[in-house]
Amino acid sequence: MEVTLNNKKITIADNDILETLLESNHLVSKKGIAVAVNSSVIPKINWAKTKLNNNDKIMIITATAGG
């Protein structure tokens, strides 16, 4: 199936979960990130429970230090 990750269309396995997508992009253990699926922020505790669907829009934002 196809999803959009940070405005880029990618293909993932059917029935994939959010945590699997983040693992494949080496982001699960990264600190300071926020993840939204279809404009809804998903708390880290729910990453393993969040099933992805065809045409979902996933946005990953990384916090940076500075002003």
Side-chain angles (χ1 to χ4, degrees):
M1 77 179 153
E2 195 170 82
V3 297
T4 303
L5 176 61
N6 287 0
N7 297 316
K8 180 182 175 188
K9 290 204 180 264
I10 62 169
T11 301
I12 62 172
D14 288 347
N15 300 317
D16 238 353
I17 60 171
L18 181 58
E19 188 173 60
T20 302
L21 175 67
L22 297 173
E23 282 175 350
S24 68
N25 286 280
H26 310 289
L27 296 169
V28 168
S29 61
K30 189 169 183 174
K31 295 185 183 210
I33 67 169
V35 181
V37 177
N38 300 322
S39 300
S40 295
V41 175
I42 309 297
K44 188 172 187 172
I45 194 166
N46 292 332
W47 289 356
K49 302 175 197 172
T50 303
K51 182 180 176 279
L52 297 175
N53 299 298
N54 196 41
N55 296 317
D56 276 349
K57 291 179 177 43
I58 300 118
M59 180 66 65
I60 301 171
I61 301 169
T62 305
T64 56

